[in-house]
Amino acid sequence: MRDFFKYTLATFVGLVLFATVGLGGLVFLVIAVATSARDAGPRVDNKSVLTFDLSTEITDNAPAVSPSEVVSNALSNPAQENKRVALRTVLNAIESAATDDKIVGLYLYGNISPGGAGLTTLGEIRQALEAFHAEKKPIIAYGTSWSERDYYLVSIADTIALNPTGFLEINGFASESTFFAGALQRFGIGIQAVRVGRYKSAVEPFIRSDRSPEEREQTQKLLT
């Protein structure tokens, strides 16, 4: 009977010690993670300059990253930065920098990738840059190869620097359409389209061999 109580007491003491050590370890782990997360955040020093890489892919919503992608990036290049960012994040960063006394300027560099950002997105970013510029803070832009979309943003800068071996290509805006009506007729394929209104040109490539006056009118206004 004495051995029973002895083993029972030993088991109880062991469970108490295990729970205490486990709880202490869990608390330590939580504190360590919280401290690490706080230290990993951005720190803004006095007289800092906000940098904006134009090649960053800007999405309407926060980019979703799968666990497999996180592991793949960590194994391939731990220092690799996520080149996708939400539009709201970009706007918030520029707006915050405009009123942050520690940030004295903004630096634009790189060039917009073909799928990086549309004209509507660039319009909102340019408005944010104009608000930043209104705070009497300088904007500097540097690049090696710019197109119309790049120059649309960097033209707001106080200083625009193009690499001596770089180029600025401005071709204007254009619109091209491919018409399939002739090919469809050749193969005996008929298209029956139901439209309401004059400016309904989505199906015209399948029922016409050229632009309708209405489609040409609306496209010209869009390009202008």
Side-chain angles (χ1 to χ4, degrees):
M1 193 66 176
R2 180 190 303 176
D3 291 340
F4 173 76
F5 285 112
K6 181 173 67 175
Y7 290 128
T8 302
L9 179 61
T11 302
F12 177 75
V13 172
L15 291 174
V16 171
L17 291 176
F18 178 79
T20 303
V21 174
L23 180 61
L26 179 61
V27 172
F28 175 79
L29 179 62
V30 171
I31 294 176
V33 171
T35 303
S36 176
R38 181 181 60 186
D39 295 339
R43 186 184 66 181
V44 180
D45 297 325
N46 289 326
K47 297 184 179 180
S48 295
V49 175
L50 176 66
T51 61
F52 182 14
D53 185 357
L54 299 180
S55 65
T56 303
E57 180 184 354
I58 302 175
T59 59
D60 293 333
N61 300 317
V65 181
S66 63
S68 59
E69 186 176 355
V70 173
V71 174
S72 176
N73 292 338
L75 293 177
S76 60
N77 185 6
Q80 182 180 8
E81 297 181 1
N82 189 353
K83 298 292 288 184
R84 291 178 295 171
V85 63
L87 172 60
R88 177 46 52 188
T89 301
V90 174
L91 299 180
N92 288 342
I94 298 176
E95 292 171 0
S96 299
T99 57
D100 192 334
D101 295 335
K102 293 183 179 180
I103 296 180
V104 297
L106 192 151
Y107 176 56
L108 304 173
Y109 67 98
N111 58 289
I112 302 172
S113 59
L119 291 177
T120 303
T121 297
L122 297 180
E124 293 198 47
I125 297 175
R126 182 179 171 86
Q127 290 180 2
L129 294 176
E130 291 174 349
F132 183 94
H133 192 268
E135 295 295 330
K136 307 301 181 182
K137 293 184 177 182
I139 300 177
I140 300 174
Y142 171 80
T144 57
S145 59
W146 283 333
S147 63
E148 292 90 345
R149 293 193 301 167
D150 301 304
Y151 195 70
Y152 175 60
L153 283 187
V154 304
S155 60
I156 191 67
D158 301 273
T159 301
I160 301 176
L162 184 65
N163 190 286
T165 61
F167 63 89
L168 170 61
E169 184 175 357
I170 298 180
N171 302 313
F173 296 98
S175 173
E176 295 182 356
S177 298
T178 303
F179 296 92
F180 306 98
L184 295 176
Q185 291 176 1
R186 180 177 179 181
F187 291 101
I189 301 174
I191 302 295
Q192 296 179 348
V194 178
R195 296 185 293 176
V196 178
R198 296 169 55 201
Y199 297 93
K200 302 293 182 180
S201 59
V203 296
E204 285 190 1
F206 303 100
I207 61 176
R208 293 181 59 93
S209 57
D210 59 355
R211 294 176 184 266
S212 67
E214 293 80 8
E215 202 283 329
R216 181 177 296 276
E217 176 187 352
Q218 64 184 5
T219 301
Q220 185 62 54
K221 288 187 176 181
L222 176 63
L223 295 177
T224 301

